[in-house]
Amino acid sequence: MRDEPLVLGIETSCDETGVGIVRGHTLLADALASSVDQHARFGGVVPEVASRAHLEALVPTMQRALDEAGVTLADVDAIAVTSGPGLAGALLVGVAAAKGYALAAEKPIYGVNHLAAHVAVDTLEHGPLPEPAVAMLVSGGHSSLLLVDDLTAGVTPLGATIDDAAGEAFDKVARLLGLGFPGGPIIDRSARDGDAASIHFPRGLTAPKDMVAHRFDFSFSGLKTAVARWVEARERAGEPVPVADVSASFQEAVCDVLTAKAIDACRSDGVRTLVIGGGVAANSRLRVLAEERAARHGIAVRVPRPGLCTDNGAMVAALGSHLVKAGIAPSRLDLPADSAMGLTEVSVPG
């Protein structure tokens, strides 16, 4: 294992300050500091609050990761950092810190794509990724289907959200139901006591006409609106809102669309492996439904454990390790923080 590169990863794209250290496919440390409690009272992530939280958390989180791995910065072979996409201010904190550490320790730096890192982290649990594979990334900011032929060379976008991402819809519906923030885990828990068949909510972009122009794209804005109108109608009628049933029915609509399109993408390209990543990948119903549908078509489903689905430094380090082993040139020290970084760009070129 000592022959494998020792890579440190820094993640600050949203509200999680993460520092991970990997050697090859082996995770040595995954230190995390979250500012989610600071955002809860606003019902969503406030960029300025997130940026300040990263400033306060990054140095102690870095030290915890180094201590956990039992290494020093001098031992590291390379430093990887999320360059984009994400919140501009939050990204700047991580990128600036990574540049400082790289300059001080005279280490190469790799600016990497946040979404590609969500795919790479799966290798820390399940080993090398079969190629090709289809990756479905679902989070608060992204709902994407990607064809992965070679993770270090780039990915091919198959589809994406055209409005609200899945995680964003979870947050908005949770707020509508008075459940709090973040919405994903709260609705997941609430849904366990509800009947998913009690209310039929719409499945966005699944009509025959949509399957031509938007076969692998997602839309959850209409679903969110449908839930709001259903709840408002109950309240106007003076009837109680069955929160658990609404949660379960809404969750079923989201997971139904996500898994159906993901399996369709696999079958369309003759791919036998589906990787699911991003914060929404921790949803229990999504995991069960994906497994059930994939099994019918002989497709293997790989999902990291919940702690590796949400944003973390381990995923950035994992992608950095792939790049180092593949002999990809490191980024320049003046690499940017790119909030709109494209899916086809796995790392910032040197």
Side-chain angles (χ1 to χ4, degrees):
M1 192 176 77
R2 289 288 178 183
D3 294 332
E4 298 278 1
L6 183 67
V7 179
L8 182 148
I10 298 173
E11 156 63 25
T12 64
S13 66
C14 192
D15 59 341
E16 310 280 8
T17 307
V19 179
I21 300 174
V22 306
R23 190 183 290 279
H25 293 309
T26 303
L27 178 60
L28 303 181
D30 183 23
L32 194 69
S34 176
S35 60
V36 65
D37 290 343
Q38 299 178 46
H39 303 287
R41 63 193 178 101
F42 300 107
V45 176
V46 180
E48 292 81 1
V49 173
S51 299
R52 181 165 293 279
H54 288 310
L55 282 170
E56 296 172 351
L58 207 148
V59 172
T61 305
M62 172 68 72
Q63 192 57 55
R64 281 195 290 119
L66 292 171
D67 291 344
E68 183 181 339
V71 300
T72 67
L73 195 60
D75 298 322
V76 170
D77 294 310
I79 294 174
V81 59
T82 298
S83 183
L87 301 175
L91 289 168
L92 280 168
V93 176
V95 170
K99 290 177 179 179
Y101 284 118
L103 186 61
E106 298 183 331
K107 304 295 180 181
I109 186 171
Y110 288 83
V112 305
N113 189 302
H114 176 83
L115 300 181
H118 271 303
V119 180
V121 75
D122 180 77
T123 64
L124 299 180
E125 274 200 300
H126 301 123
L129 185 68
E131 297 173 347
V134 166
M136 179 171 68
L137 304 181
V138 279
S139 67
H142 306 280
S143 296
S144 305
L145 282 171
L146 314 172
L147 180 63
V148 184
D149 285 313
D150 179 352
L151 188 56
T152 62
V155 297
T156 303
L158 300 176
T161 183
I162 64 172
D163 43 54
D164 289 358
E168 184 180 1
F170 270 96
D171 288 341
K172 290 178 177 178
V173 169
R175 185 162 65 244
L176 172 71
L177 297 174
L179 294 177
F181 175 84
I186 297 174
I187 285 184
D188 196 359
R189 289 193 297 270
S190 174
R192 293 169 192 168
D193 298 321
D195 179 4
S198 62
I199 311 164
H200 180 76
F201 289 126
R203 273 61 169 165
L205 296 184
T206 58
K209 63 180 178 65
D210 296 320
M211 297 305 288
V212 176
H214 296 287
R215 181 176 177 182
F216 300 129
D217 291 326
F218 303 103
S219 171
F220 297 107
S221 179
L223 170 60
K224 172 203 65 182
T225 301
V227 175
R229 287 176 177 169
W230 194 93
V231 170
E232 289 165 2
R234 295 280 295 199
E235 291 174 338
R236 281 197 305 270
E239 300 175 357
V241 175
V243 173
D245 287 345
V246 174
S247 297
S249 299
F250 161 75
Q251 178 175 267
E252 189 68 16
V254 173
C255 296
D256 183 15
V257 173
L258 288 173
T259 55
K261 294 202 174 214
I263 298 302
D264 187 23
C266 289
R267 297 183 67 196
S268 173
D269 285 284
V271 174
R272 313 307 298 174
T273 303
L274 171 64
V275 179
I276 306 177
V280 180
N283 181 273
S284 62
R285 180 55 180 158
L286 180 64
R287 288 170 174 247
V288 169
L289 194 55
E291 290 279 2
E292 290 176 352
R293 287 180 163 170
R296 296 174 199 154
H297 302 286
I299 297 169
V301 177
R302 294 174 38 145
V303 191
R305 64 179 182 270
L308 293 180
C309 288
T310 52
D311 294 347
N312 58 80
M315 69 186 203
V316 179
L319 181 53
S321 178
H322 277 74
L323 295 169
V324 173
K325 287 192 290 183
I328 304 298
S331 306
R332 291 165 49 93
L333 198 57
D334 61 353
L335 71 115
D338 184 358
S339 61
M341 190 174 188
L343 281 170
T344 55
E345 190 176 4
V346 171
S347 63
V348 178

